[in-house]
Amino acid sequence: MQFIEPEIIKYVENIWSSTLSLEARQTETSYTPHEGEENLTGCVHIMGAWNGTVSLQCPKDMAVQAASIMFGLKCEDTEMEEIQDALGELANMTGGNLKALLPEPCSLSLPTVAITDYNFRIPKTELITQVNFDCGGQVFSVSVHKKVDNSDD
């Protein structure tokens, strides 16, 4: 799946630009949530000929900004439900674009959003790639995990 990183970069840059009117650019700086800092992870699962997960992890402030833009609200007026919906939709758009590159047939789950002050982990998967982005000085990441077969367990 060596092709996937350039595609992730292209899709994320396009989604951020067209949906949020924001510039997101790949960065070498890794997104690592600081201990005690609230962050959100939106993910969609891909099932079928290829099984795995596409996730988007970002600080809460970035998710609030995305929601305020998507729903036309002031940041301080944005509710958690709108924040989760916005991040879920961004993960859904990213996963849907990547799904089109995978072997068919595949289907995409509804997005799931987790709010945590810890690192996010998807059991029984292996990390295929993680691409970090900078948007206005805030770093976020998009990761692709492939389901691993643990039938010998």
Side-chain angles (χ1 to χ4, degrees), residues 122-134:
I122 303 167
K124 297 194 180 201
T125 65
E126 64 182 1
L127 179 65
I128 300 298
T129 191
Q130 179 174 334
V131 182
N132 296 291
F133 295 89
D134 181 284

Side-chain angles (χ1 to χ4, degrees), residues 1-79:
M1 296 190 74
Q2 294 175 340
F3 69 89
I4 204 94
E5 281 189 25
E7 300 300 330
I8 291 170
I9 294 165
K10 178 176 76 173
Y11 293 140
V12 168
E13 287 176 354
N14 288 338
I15 290 166
W16 251 246
S17 175
S18 64
T19 305
L20 304 173
S21 298
L22 296 174
E23 184 177 349
R25 293 284 174 228
Q26 182 186 19
T27 182
E28 295 303 315
T29 304
S30 295
Y31 175 66
T32 307
H34 303 324
E35 189 173 325
E37 175 187 61
E38 236 181 358
N39 66 89
L40 285 85
T41 302
C43 51
V44 290
H45 302 286
I46 300 172
M47 301 139 311
W50 189 89
N51 292 291
T53 303
V54 176
S55 62
L56 189 161
Q57 188 172 26
C58 69
K60 182 180 178 185
D61 289 346
M62 175 173 273
V64 169
Q65 181 184 15
S68 72
I69 292 168
M70 289 176 101
F71 293 103
L73 301 168
K74 293 180 182 177
C75 286
E76 60 270 14
D77 294 336
T78 306
E79 300 290 330

